Amino acid sequence: MIAALLLSLCSVAAPQGATPPAPILWESLPPVPDPVGLGGPFVAALQGADGEQRLLVAGGANFPEAPPWEGGAKVWYAGTWVFDGEGWASGPPLPGPRAYGAVVHLDGRALLIGGGDSSQATSEVLIAEMDGSGAVRFAAGPALPAPSQFLAAGLVDGRVIALGAQRTGDPSDLVRATWILDPEDMASGWTESAPFPGRAGLKFVAAPQRNAEGKEALFVYSGEVPGQGPESLPDGRRFLPVSNELWSFEPGRETWTQHRSPSSPRSGAQGQAVGRSAGLAWPTGQSHILFFSGVAAVPLDLPQATRSEFTADVDAYHTLTDTWTREGSMPRGVVTTGIAPWDGGFAIASGEVRPGVRTAEVQWGRVDREPARLATLDYAVMALYLLGILLLGVFFARRERTAEDFFLAGRRIPWWAAGLSIYATQLSAITYVAVPAKAYMDDWVFALTSITILIMAPIVIVFYLPFFRRLEISTAYEYLERRFGLSIRLFGSASFMAFQVARMAIVVFLPSLALSTVTGVDVYTCIATIGVMATVYTVLGGMEAVVWTDVLQVFVLIGGLFVALALAVDGAGGLEPALEIARSGEKLRWFAPGASWTDTASWSVLLGAMFLQFGPYTTDQAVVQRYLSTKDERSAARGILLNGLVAMPFTLCFYALGSALFAYFSARPEALDLGMKNDEVFPLFVALELPAGLAGLVLAGIFAASMSSLDSSMHSIATSWTNDWHRRLGIGSASDLQTGRRVTLLMGVVGTGTAALFAASDLRSLFDTFQSVLGLLISPLAGLFFLGIFTTRTSSRGAALGALLSIAVLAYVQNATPLNFMLYGAVGSTTCVVVGYLASFVMRDERDLAGLTWWTRPS
């Protein structure tokens, strides 16, 4: 099985010089039955309770008898067509003829907003849904505050945002109003928010997407601006102006923000920038918006019969880097129609292909991400590196003769190896992949957390390490039993193991997803490779294999970090251009002023990081085990200090890499993958920029980083179970060594399986998620150890109450308050300490504390 996993990494190597596929895959669906086609129809995707889907095309307008230049009359319709995946059938009619409205999808339903007919606009809103029999039906929704057609709308952060446009039959009668509707409280109707500050117009192109700050927003682009009047080219041709402005509305702040327009626009009136009025937009991935077709400028003098078809170009805007790229073309350019999710992609039904001319065609598209960018040499290097890691486990297996060898490496680990192993355990793929992505998305504010690691080192050495070493314990939770009793020991051990299970899933899934994207290897194959490899060498080699593979991966990862940083800066044009790009994008900000408890501020980052670091370095068995694996207390102290000295500068380098990646992709936006997640940015860069062989080594290092965290979790869980449960409670008859290996194997299966379940997640940043889990499960333990070491009054029952209430309070804070996630650890630890100490005034007990607290330690 191991050989098969290694070979699978090589089997997907793309031949050199292969032509990359088009970014969007296009196909044709059966055409709408209307023989002429429709302009301005409502296009929506509906889903029933049983999962059945329907594509709805409702209303619209066309010239059924003759084109307009031959005197044909325009007709509006109330009829609907419904597509079930096989063919079209007529559906229930709308309340009246209408077209040129907006559609917003709501969890299987759709809102059909506004629109108009031959004489007027409407304020009506319809709710389209499927009934129990699978048929489409319409119901009345909350009416708009004013009639509007050719408007823009989208679902943003759970709320419907609509931007009004033409409110009568006169195209120059425009409204700039922004309306907001809560779908969960439709009875309250629409509320009015900040008016649109751009050029008043109609036929906007809109789509929801996350903005540069990671907040959901409605992006609105282009639009006709008839109120400005026609403009003329030097040759005398007259055009109705089209806006080239891009704006976004963030409902949380109720503000509009202007963004960069396309840098290479097509020529318009007087050669000025022109946009894409009446086109279509579709969000993809976490930061891209695709813009399809559109009207660059509306000619007024050119006869309609001779006007060419609308452009079929597809452009992409990246909200994070504020850049535009050309992404090929669609089969046929269409305007004044709708786009809806369908069969894993999107459907564009009917529409106008040139002035007065419609089409019945239905175009289906899907973002087709490019796989396998690496050279064969890269896959070979990855396979050889992983094989070398496995052989280390085989080598150390010969020395694992006793339980102490397996759990503590016979206490023969050198201090410097223990220090690097602590760093590698805390580094993981969370740091190596997600921290550069965090800086790429945001800024350097969270880099302040590296200071707290250095601060923690002397605290651990002076106040905690003596208790772990001098009591001759095998797990940190043995101390809790001696201080508070068996139940607290078991609670601490169980909490730690639960946290590690959650951690295993994240640290395996995150790099697997990113590596799958850039290598073309299936994500489950990546997960299985990491899980199987880490499990095998940990079961074989125990603690020694874990520590020495950690040491190896630190050198590989740090070397790859510096190479990637240099190449990213060079790819952005050099140090000065890179700094300027990062500075203009506000990526070098390291201090966030303010006193907010909900938004990111430097004081909350520092305070929260101190508590979050306090837990792992004082209670985490995976870290404490490194303290215990050296020959004496002095060696352990030197290892802890080395970890602090290494962590701070290298953490800053990871943030520098994130800023460099922002500069690189801002300078080369075409290199970004459509549909990518932001956590994939570093592996994507490695595959694009690093030389063949070196890219494979760095990506293998990312595999190894994930394995390093997984092996530490597996091994420390096995240590906790064997010592805190198996040996202490007499569970099972197997030897400690056998039990440790069996539990390690079981945890490898659990960690790998849980990571596979994570494969369907869509989180903007798993870094934030990891910090939230850390605060919920570890902060009560930090409070227990603090109470045990620094107080003599705290009783076992008081400590237990403090720990339980801290979990309850944290669960409430996470789910019912907007408190910044960085403060979760502070809330949990403080609650445990305060409640535990105060409760002990009532819940007293008498215990011998000699040698168990700072105040009763031996002189």
Side-chain angles (χ1 to χ4, degrees), residues 581-633:
I581 294 172
R583 189 180 298 112
S584 63
E586 298 185 352
K587 298 302 174 183
L588 300 182
R589 186 180 68 139
W590 63 271
F591 181 76
S596 174
W597 293 87
T598 56
D599 293 332
T600 299
S602 291
W603 75 269
S604 62
V605 170
L606 282 171
L607 177 63
M610 192 66 195
F611 278 90
L612 289 174
Q613 299 295 351
F614 200 71
Y617 284 98
T618 61
T619 71
D620 191 325
Q621 176 61 25
V623 178
V624 172
Q625 211 160 328
R626 270 72 175 171
Y627 306 163
L628 304 176
S629 64
T630 57
K631 64 179 181 179
D632 53 32
E633 184 177 331

Side-chain angles (χ1 to χ4, degrees), residues 109-123:
R109 303 177 298 163
L111 293 184
L112 313 187
I113 305 171
D117 57 21
S118 58
S119 59
Q120 62 184 356
T122 181
S123 61

Side-chain angles (χ1 to χ4, degrees), residues 498-847:
F499 162 71
Q500 289 296 334
V501 170
R503 183 176 188 265
M504 285 191 295
I506 295 173
V507 299
V508 172
F509 165 69
L510 173 61
S512 295
L513 179 64
L515 290 167
S516 172
T517 301
V518 299
T519 62
V521 181
D522 179 75
V523 64
Y524 297 103
T525 300
C526 291
I527 290 172
T529 300
I530 293 171
V532 171
M533 294 286 294
T535 301
V536 169
Y537 74 69
T538 305
V539 169
L540 291 174
M543 188 63 177
E544 279 192 291
V546 170
V547 169
W548 289 109
T549 54
D550 286 350
V551 171
L552 176 62
Q553 69 104 15
V554 164
F555 285 104
V556 172
L557 294 186
I558 297 304
L561 166 66
F562 287 126
V563 171
L565 181 58
L567 291 175
V569 169
D570 182 67
L575 182 59
E576 286 299 323
L579 286 173
E580 180 56 33
I581 294 172
R583 189 180 298 112
S584 63
E586 298 185 352
K587 298 302 174 183
L588 300 182
R589 186 180 68 139
W590 63 271
F591 181 76
S596 174
W597 293 87
T598 56
D599 293 332
T600 299
S602 291
W603 75 269
S604 62
V605 170
L606 282 171
L607 177 63
M610 192 66 195
F611 278 90
L612 289 174
Q613 299 295 351
F614 200 71
Y617 284 98
T618 61
T619 71
D620 191 325
Q621 176 61 25
V623 178
V624 172
Q625 211 160 328
R626 270 72 175 171
Y627 306 163
L628 304 176
S629 64
T630 57
K631 64 179 181 179
D632 53 32
E633 184 177 331
R634 175 182 171 84
S635 296
R638 295 172 72 183
I640 295 170
L641 186 59
L642 175 64
N643 167 68
L645 293 173
V646 167
M648 184 174 177
F650 287 160
T651 299
L652 297 179
C653 288
F654 281 115
Y655 279 88
L657 175 60
S659 297
L661 291 175
F662 176 83
Y664 176 88
F665 286 109
S666 294
R668 303 183 181 186
E670 69 281 355
L672 288 164
D673 265 0
L674 292 179
M676 68 176 287
K677 295 182 179 181
N678 292 320
D679 282 314
E680 301 166 0
V681 65
F682 181 41
L684 174 64
F685 172 79
V686 170
L688 287 173
E689 188 69 21
L690 265 63
L694 183 57
L697 186 61
V698 174
L699 291 175
I702 297 177
F703 269 109
S706 187
M707 288 190 291
S708 171
S709 298
L710 180 60
D711 63 29
S712 296
S713 295
M714 291 187 300
H715 193 266
S716 57
I717 289 174
T719 304
S720 294
W721 173 263
T722 303
N723 290 277
D724 297 325
W725 300 81
H726 166 76
R727 181 191 299 170
R728 180 64 180 81
L729 301 181
I731 299 175
S733 59
S735 67
D736 289 352
L737 181 58
Q738 289 176 322
T739 301
R741 282 183 164 150
R742 290 173 183 176
V743 174
T744 301
L745 178 60
L746 175 62
M747 287 302 101
V749 174
V750 171
T752 306
T754 309
L757 294 178
F758 256 74
S761 66
D762 183 24
L763 303 176
R764 178 175 186 264
S765 177
L766 287 174
F767 177 85
D768 296 351
T769 304
F770 178 71
Q771 298 294 343
S772 301
V773 172
L774 183 67
L776 181 62
L777 295 176
I778 291 299
S779 54
L781 278 182
L784 285 175
F785 276 86
F786 185 91
L787 287 170
I789 291 175
F790 295 107
T791 71
T792 57
R793 181 179 294 276
T794 306
S795 65
S796 58
R797 289 182 296 169
L801 180 62
L804 293 175
L805 281 181
S806 71
I807 294 176
V809 169
L810 263 182
Y812 172 79
V813 167
Q814 286 195 19
N815 293 287
T817 73
L819 186 72
N820 188 284
F821 73 93
M822 285 296 294
L823 296 174
Y824 291 165
V827 170
S829 298
T830 303
T831 301
C832 181
V833 170
V834 172
V835 173
Y837 187 76
L838 294 178
S840 297
F841 281 88
V842 179
M843 301 175 174
R844 298 182 179 181
D845 57 23
E846 297 295 332
R847 303 183 67 86

Side-chain angles (χ1 to χ4, degrees), residues 156-157 159 161 180 215-217 249-255:
V156 180
D157 200 19
R159 286 177 283 180
I161 312 298
I180 302 178
K215 307 294 185 181
E216 291 188 31
F249 178 82
E250 185 183 329
R253 298 178 180 174
E254 298 201 11
T255 56

Side-chain angles (χ1 to χ4, degrees), residues 297-356:
V298 182
L300 299 177
D301 298 334
L302 194 64
Q304 286 185 318
T306 61
R307 294 178 190 174
S308 60
E309 291 197 355
F310 301 120
T311 178
D313 290 342
V314 180
D315 289 340
Y317 173 71
H318 191 247
T319 64
L320 190 57
T321 57
D322 196 25
T323 54
W324 291 79
T325 54
R326 176 61 48 80
E327 299 295 343
S329 60
M330 58 193 300
R332 193 174 192 185
V334 291
V335 302
T336 62
T337 187
I339 185 170
W342 186 258
D343 193 22
F346 48 85
I348 301 173
S350 201
E352 190 173 355
V353 295
R354 66 187 182 97

